[in-house]
Amino acid sequence: MPKAKETVLEIDLKALKHNLEYLKSKLKNSPKILAVVKAFAYGSDANIVAKYLQDLDIDYFAVAYVNEGVALRDAGIKTPILVLHPQAINFKTLINRCLEPSLYNAKVLNEFITIATEEKQSNYPVHIKFNTGLNRLGFWENDVDYIISKLNATSAIKVKSLFSHLAASEDETEKVFTETQIKNFKSISDEFTEAIGYKPLLHLANTSGIINYPEAHLDMVRTGIGLYGFGNSEAENKNLKPIATLKSVISQIHNIEKGETVGYNRAYKSNGFETTATIPIGHADGISRQYGKQKGFVTVNGKKAPIIGNVCMDMIMINVTGIECNEGDEVIIFGSHPDAEQFANTADTISYEIITAISQRIKRIILK
Ligand SMILES: *Cc1c(COP(=O)(O)O)cnc(C)c1O
């Protein structure tokens, strides 16, 4: 691939396909696969990723908010789209664009029934979310009778699926808790299915659920981070390929004397005769200040170069003392090595945060 001439995020669709195939190899009873493409497909490019996955016959997409679903419809995506966290103010738009809401409490259930009825819908597909321990969104088990009574009183909506979300599926020390969540979800869905008289799809597993809990695969699995190349463990990261590589270039090189300082608030002080390079990416691009002061590093011509001083809005400065390099040379921030998880760990965070933080002003380049 050509060397970067500016800051770019390269998206490798072959890696995406590899990851999908790897995750599929973990599935025994061929459940449906829902691809989570919220937050610009985890910071990559939701339209391109969703089109590519649609061509690979993915069964479902999920986004967090209605506007994300609208953008996918505008891009020509026809596959069903679950909106995980819709707000009532957008319900009419949601219906007009054939998006499917997650209904997670009495308030949104009733608001959605009202709007679906006003919009003269019948059997509009909805997804009922249960809380089994994450305590974020979801009805409780003892709400089942209430939900059924509401559903029996309307023909405007019909339950397409029941789902819940695991709180710690990547965490080996929380196996007992996760198994309890799985057991509780099964008991809630049995009770619900019996009361409603038809069988909605059941889904529970995210990427780490796919990898660690085959008994949670059920009728559909929801994968996000795995598609983008991370398995939430060093062992699984080896089986997956990061789809995104963040690259930049050296804008300027400075040779500084011992005791000179670099950047705002003079946060780095030179220990001797040193060489620094200035790179056109900053905290406005998602490289937060946590990566500054020699915590994070980038790669220049195969060598590690620490980020020195404070991260600026549009730039970082790196220490390239002893590294052969010139103005205009390519710089790798993360990709396959170090990968985004390793880069994120230098600032005490995780792959999810750094990849979704990469700002929209950075150009995306698609590798096919
Ligand atoms: C974001 C999200 C997922 C995807 O989780 P990964 O760990 O990225 O696979 C699945 N389900 C829900 C409800 C989510 O919010």
Side-chain angles (χ1 to χ4, degrees), residues 154-178:
T154 176
S155 60
I157 65 173
K158 182 163 182 185
V159 179
K160 181 89 175 271
S161 85
L162 305 178
F163 74 112
S164 185
H165 195 34
L166 298 172
S169 55
E170 71 275 32
D171 191 343
E172 271 173 30
T173 66
E174 293 293 358
K175 249 189 148 52
V176 173
F177 183 87
T178 304

Side-chain angles (χ1 to χ4, degrees), residues 172-230:
E172 271 173 30
T173 66
E174 293 293 358
K175 249 189 148 52
V176 173
F177 183 87
T178 304
E179 281 160 1
T180 307
Q181 277 198 279
I182 297 169
K183 197 175 88 217
N184 289 345
F185 179 65
K186 285 182 177 167
S187 108
I188 294 169
S189 51
D190 282 350
E191 186 187 338
F192 191 100
T193 302
E194 185 160 336
I196 196 83
Y198 57 86
K199 204 180 163 310
L201 292 173
L202 307 181
H203 50 112
L204 179 59
N206 65 337
T207 300
S208 297
I210 293 172
I211 292 166
N212 297 329
Y213 296 93
E215 71 272 32
H217 292 174
L218 309 176
D219 301 320
M220 183 157 77
V221 295
R222 303 187 303 269
T223 177
I225 199 79
L227 290 174
Y228 308 109
F230 299 92

